Amino acid sequence: MSTVPEYFASRVFDDKVMRSRLPEKVYKSLRQTLDNGTKLHLELANAVATAMCDWAVENGATHFTHWFQPLTGITAEKHDGFINPSPDGRVIMEFSGKELFKGEPDASSFPSGGLRATFEARGYTAWDPSSYAFIKENTLCIPTAFCSYGGEALDKKTPLLRSMEALNKQSLRILKLFGNSDVKRVVTNVGPEQEYFLVDREMYLKRKDLIYTGRTLFGAKAPKGQELEDHYFGAIKPRVQAYMEDLNEELWKLGVLAKTEHNEVAPAQHELAPIYATTNVATDHNQLTMEIMKKVARKHSLVCLLHEKPFAGVNGSGKHNNWSMSTDTGENLLSPGETPYENARFLLFLVAVIKAVDEYQDLLRLAVATAGNDHRLGANEAPPAVISIFLGDELSAVLDAIETDSHYSGAEKKKMKLGVDILPRFTRDSTDRNRTSPFAFTGNKFEFRMVGSNDSIACANVMINSSVAEALRQFADVLEGAADFEDRLHSLIKEEIIAHKRIIFNGNGYDDAWIKEATEQRGLLNLRTTADALPRLLDQKNIDMLTGHGVFSESELRSRYEIQLENYVRTVRIEALTMVDMARKEIMPAIAAYSSALAEGTARKKAVDPSMSCGYETKLIKKLSDLNDKADEATEELEKAVAELDSLGDVTAEANLVRDMLLPQMSALRAVCDEAEPLTSADYWPFPTYGDLLFGV
Ligand code: ADP
Ligand code: MG
């Protein structure tokens, strides 16, 4: 067995492989493309393709695929063999630059929200050289963008790359003003911390809800949940340990820098965090990580649940999106510097993020809006649906001092004059309060905590990048024309702090009083559900901003609105039908069978001695029978709600009905069945319970 450094990235066509396998001229051109986004000529692409093919075949690959992220949420791939007939009747393994550049999957079944009528189904995929190709199983996977022939994006990567470009462009304008002319490129980096649950596969297979929807739709609370907090960072069980080891190995071979692993708060919940990477690569790697997590679980007779809320009553899963901006000269723009100038620059970028988050709260919220994540946001383990920023006391005090032209009351009691004074080193605030914040500054990066565990991180980062680019654009417009740069810089930062300080909140985000204050006094948005949040995408201010930076066209936005709402409606509809199915075919028959067994038992006992009271049985039979009647009614109501949903035909109306009718009906049905579960003998209950699932590994 080789060591980790030996096998790390062994299945990746990375810089090292390129350098060793490509002719120098080709390598240099490709490097140019990778570093500066310059175009690569077909001729060179042919050379790259040949080298890729040789390398892949040597490493056991027989097929290649353009690997892309359609709006379904998963990654898609269509495999083609390298195989080509040769004149001598044998075959050669071949791959051309053209095939590398462009693919044409028959993509009529991917959601396009009306952008690509089905009769002209041919979207195309285009190579993204900024994310390395890799071998998965026997297939060379080439990360690609997916577009319609009209050039509209049908995927998540395209707008992400565009948003990174927008942020690069505006950041360079700002850096130029600070005299940083050596910087050629600004990128955003992300380290996504991925939470997940592991359950036993045998048990999983007995639950239709898990199979069809990824979450439990029924289930009474187990006697023990997470209240002892004995799982968080606890010793990892051998079976889970073996899984994690296997998972790491698979990920490392694919060049994913999986770094941290630990148990999370809920029983059976775990987390994996990679070392951060450029957003585009981090996004691809996170997609890959989710896929490999599920695959490796199978080998261990486990199932990896990535749903945001697999179990009611215990924590759900999210994905903390650690985000920062850095230069190609290696500077983190969200890191306070050593000189007054660097400090002023840091504050400007910091204030840009604050402005962006305040002005585009709605976009950040809707970027993470899914049926699954709605269960999590606002429950008391995840951030609330109200967006605010945590800065910590020290940095908040600095902003206060700037705002009021007063003394900064930190350790050194200094008056803050930008461009003159040096900021204190901010130590990272690790108090528990910052855990409740949706958007927390953690020393040299922001941590956006609202992303769902099952979601691609692309959408969230598109919105963060774009809205920060917009803030920087406005700043650059003001500062480029300023007579006295330093003076204008100081007043600009001050104005922006005053305008946007309402979004800063260092307190406990789980507190009801905060939600009241946020919405009533500060005027912050509280978009509780996907149906509430998504329509904001089409607000004029958002369309203007996103089209203004070339991140989306208006028609792309409209299509995304449709698709995201459609996903929401379809997801909940499947859940409702699954509930009906389970209630009718499993739960109600089980309750009926158990109560009739009780009744038979009672009759037999009475046959022995008619004077026996059989109080226990009689009471229970009555209770269960009543509950079953209620379950039957609730099931009928739910079926009616689904029928009404199906009669609507307009996705916005459907989403509203899902929120107002379907979900409440589902809760009602669940409540009755969950009440019956602990009253029913374990021998009769038709599927594994919460206790079995949460403590069964
Ligand atoms: P935690 O938040 O769990 O305490 P860390 O803050 O150490 O852990 O790291 C969480 C994630 O943030 C990791 O994926 C890490 O690589 C990433 N991270 C660290 N620094 C940066 C940065 N400058 N930009 C983006 N992500 C970062
Ligand atoms: Mg974290």
Side-chain angles (χ1 to χ4, degrees):
M1 183 72 211
S2 53
T3 64
V4 178
E6 279 163 3
Y7 70 72
F8 185 82
S10 58
R11 302 186 74 73
V12 186
F13 192 74
D14 63 1
D15 191 69
K16 193 174 149 210
V17 183
M18 287 183 207
R19 195 194 299 260
S20 70
R21 291 194 168 241
L22 292 172
E24 194 174 319
K25 189 172 142 241
V26 179
Y27 172 75
K28 279 198 173 138
S29 291
L30 184 57
R31 212 49 265 174
Q32 282 266 318
T33 304
L34 298 181
D35 296 339
N36 311 323
T38 49
K39 232 179 132 57
L40 192 74
H41 290 290
L42 181 61
E43 208 181 305
L44 295 179
N46 276 326
V48 177
T50 304
M52 249 188 206
C53 176
D54 291 347
W55 169 81
V57 171
E58 278 167 38
N59 282 284
T62 52
H63 288 68
F64 68 92
T65 183
H66 277 199
W67 188 76
F68 59 103
Q69 295 166 36
L71 297 168
T72 46
I74 52 157
T75 45
E77 40 195 79
K78 173 199 163 210
H79 299 184
D80 280 302
F82 288 123
I83 196 169
N84 267 310
S86 76
D88 62 0
R90 310 288 286 270
V91 294
I92 45 170
M93 302 300 257
E94 243 179 7
F95 182 49
S96 71
K98 240 172 88 189
E99 288 171 302
L100 170 62
F101 262 145
K102 196 165 177 176
E104 301 187 18
D106 172 14
S108 49
S109 299
F110 292 112
S112 75
L115 276 182
R116 178 175 35 73
T118 347
F119 58 82
E120 47 136 71
R122 296 189 328 162
Y124 71 92
T125 49
W127 180 33
D128 165 24
S130 66
S131 183
Y132 295 136
F134 56 90
I135 300 172
K136 190 159 59 76
E137 318 268 295
N138 62 353
T139 302
L140 171 70
C141 298
I142 301 152
T144 51
F146 178 39
C147 297
S148 77
Y149 265 90
E152 288 119 338
L154 297 171
D155 68 348
K156 300 189 174 172
K157 187 188 272 280
T158 306
L160 181 64
L161 293 172
R162 291 175 185 160
S163 74
M164 290 172 71
E165 194 45 49
L167 189 118
N168 170 50
K169 191 171 149 194
Q170 302 304 332
S171 302
L172 289 179
R173 286 177 70 193
I174 299 284
L175 290 177
K176 212 166 147 201
L177 291 167
F178 281 90
N180 302 118
S181 48
D182 52 330
V183 176
K184 298 275 174 297
R185 209 167 168 77
V186 171
V187 296
T188 57
N189 304 299
V190 167
E193 302 165 56
Q194 175 75 49
E195 291 180 330
Y196 61 98
F197 280 83
L198 287 177
V199 296
D200 183 80
R201 187 168 160 77
E202 297 240 322
M203 292 188 200
Y204 166 92
L205 289 173
K206 292 184 181 137
R207 295 210 46 145
K208 287 187 195 162
D209 46 5
L210 287 179
I211 293 173
Y212 293 141
T213 74
R215 73 175 179 112
T216 54
L217 299 167
F218 297 99
K221 280 204 179 92
K224 180 177 181 213
Q226 63 188 47
E227 53 281 90
L228 294 180
E229 298 188 338
D230 51 354
H231 193 252
Y232 191 54
F233 281 26
I236 298 170
K237 289 181 189 156
R239 195 168 162 199
V240 175
Q241 185 64 42
Y243 166 80
M244 286 177 171
E245 278 166 21
D246 242 13
L247 175 63
N248 283 336
E249 191 178 323
E250 290 291 314
L251 291 174
W252 288 337
K253 282 186 200 159
L254 289 165
V256 178
L257 285 157
K259 170 90 171 161
T260 313
E261 56 194 24
H262 59 79
N263 287 351
E264 261 300 330
V265 175
Q269 192 185 29
H270 313 280
E271 179 184 294
L272 182 144
I275 295 173
Y276 69 94
T278 312
T279 308
N280 180 33
V281 172
T283 305
D284 285 355
H285 279 179
N286 183 249
Q287 291 299 115
L288 205 50
T289 299
M290 292 195 284
E291 187 183 325
I292 305 290
M293 277 179 158
K294 290 187 192 160
K295 195 182 92 184
V296 172
R298 264 197 96 125
K299 271 193 4 208
H300 295 260
S301 302
L302 296 166
V303 174
C304 172
L305 301 177
L306 290 174
H307 194 282
E308 285 81 8
K309 196 73 183 173
F311 302 99
V314 298
N315 281 2
S317 301
K319 190 136 57 187
H320 291 177
N321 187 85
N322 293 271
W323 179 93
S324 68
M325 297 179 259
S326 67
T327 66
D328 59 346
T329 52
E331 279 187 279
N332 179 344
L333 295 171
L334 290 177
S335 188
E338 305 288 347
T339 66
Y341 240 45
E342 283 171 1
N343 281 175
R345 194 184 72 186
F346 160 71
L347 282 171
L348 189 67
F349 279 101
L350 179 82
V351 169
V353 177
I354 294 171
K355 177 183 172 72
V357 174
D358 187 26
E359 288 181 349
Y360 297 99
Q361 296 161 47
D362 45 1
L363 290 182
L364 291 178
R365 169 65 183 94
L366 69 88
V368 300
T370 61
N373 214 18
D374 281 358
H375 295 290
R376 180 176 159 260
L377 300 177
N380 72 345
E381 92 258 5
V386 177
I387 297 191
S388 63
I389 295 182
F390 173 91
L391 286 184
D393 293 338
E394 203 168 10
L395 194 48
S396 299
V398 170
L399 296 194
D400 276 349
I402 297 172
E403 182 196 336
T404 54
D405 281 324
S406 61
H407 288 273
Y408 161 62
S409 58
E412 292 168 52
K413 301 246 181 239
K414 278 176 74 171
K415 188 167 168 149
M416 281 302 308
K417 177 78 177 112
L418 283 176
V420 179
D421 291 332
I422 298 180
L423 289 176
R425 277 250 155 245
F426 302 113
T427 46
R428 180 184 157 154
D429 191 319
S430 56
T431 57
D432 238 25
R433 286 177 310 162
N434 101 37
R435 303 237 127 238
T436 69
S437 175
F439 209 101
F441 183 70
T442 46
N444 60 2
K445 60 179 164 37
F446 276 97
E447 189 167 337
F448 183 43
R449 303 210 174 99
M450 292 173 83
V451 186
S453 50
N454 202 20
D455 213 354
S456 162
I457 58 171
C459 303
N461 287 293
V462 166
M463 295 312 178
I464 300 175
N465 294 343
S466 309
S467 51
V468 174
E470 171 59 15
L472 293 172
R473 180 193 69 77
Q474 292 182 25
F475 290 179
D477 283 354
V478 170
L479 294 172
E480 279 168 357
D484 181 335
F485 173 69
E486 267 174 44
D487 210 51
R488 190 66 190 95
L489 178 66
H490 189 97
S491 60
L492 175 68
I493 290 180
K494 191 171 149 177
E495 287 156 23
E496 297 293 341
I497 293 170
I498 295 170
H500 300 295
K501 64 178 179 181
R502 66 170 184 162
I503 197 81
I504 298 167
F505 176 63
N506 293 324
N508 180 1
Y510 296 166
D511 199 340
D512 287 339
W514 159 240
I515 304 299
K516 212 167 134 63
E517 177 188 332
T519 51
E520 289 173 18
Q521 281 144 44
R522 302 194 186 205
L524 299 177
L525 292 171
N526 185 11
L527 302 168
R528 295 184 51 98
T529 69
T530 300
D532 299 316
L534 264 178
R536 301 274 177 159
L537 184 62
L538 301 179
D539 280 4
Q540 199 56 46
K541 82 165 197 348
N542 294 333
I543 294 179
D544 289 347
M545 189 278 277
L546 291 165
T547 58
H549 287 279
V551 176
F552 288 107
S553 68
E554 186 164 341
S555 55
E556 285 171 347
L557 283 173
R558 293 194 183 279
S559 87
R560 263 151 226 259
Y561 169 74
E562 296 258 324
I563 293 167
Q564 221 177 321
L565 265 196
E566 226 164 66
N567 283 345
Y568 171 72
V569 171
R570 287 178 187 172
T571 303
V572 182
R573 186 175 180 279
I574 293 170
E575 289 178 347
L577 292 178
T578 304
M579 287 190 87
V580 169
D581 187 272
M582 289 173 80
R584 287 223 185 286
K585 295 193 188 144
E586 297 181 279
I587 298 174
M588 294 194 286
I591 297 172
Y594 178 51
S595 28
S596 77
L598 283 173
E600 273 166 35
T602 311
R604 264 185 252 132
K605 273 163 86 178
K606 294 225 180 205
V608 175
D609 176 358
S611 75
M612 265 196 265
S613 88
C614 299
Y616 160 71
E617 289 92 338
T618 315
K619 221 166 87 190
L620 196 51
I621 293 166
K622 172 94 178 82
K623 258 198 208 160
L624 284 173
S625 170
D626 285 351
L627 284 170
N628 232 7
D629 289 349
K630 282 193 199 156
D632 184 39
E633 266 168 48
T635 308
E636 271 174 23
E637 290 300 313
L638 187 54
E639 280 175 316
K640 274 191 220 150
V642 174
E644 192 171 336
L645 179 73
D646 292 347
S647 72
L648 287 176
D650 165 68
V651 74
T652 310
E654 286 171 0
N656 291 340
L657 188 115
V658 161
R659 176 194 58 202
D660 299 334
M661 224 172 127
L662 220 55
L663 286 165
Q665 293 291 1
M666 286 162 61
S667 301
L669 174 57
R670 178 181 181 144
V672 184
C673 296
D674 287 0
E675 200 182 329
E677 185 192 315
L679 300 175
T680 307
S681 158
D683 295 338
Y684 284 78
W685 200 252
F687 38 72
T689 63
Y690 265 34
D692 300 333
L693 287 165
L694 287 169
F695 298 94
V697 172

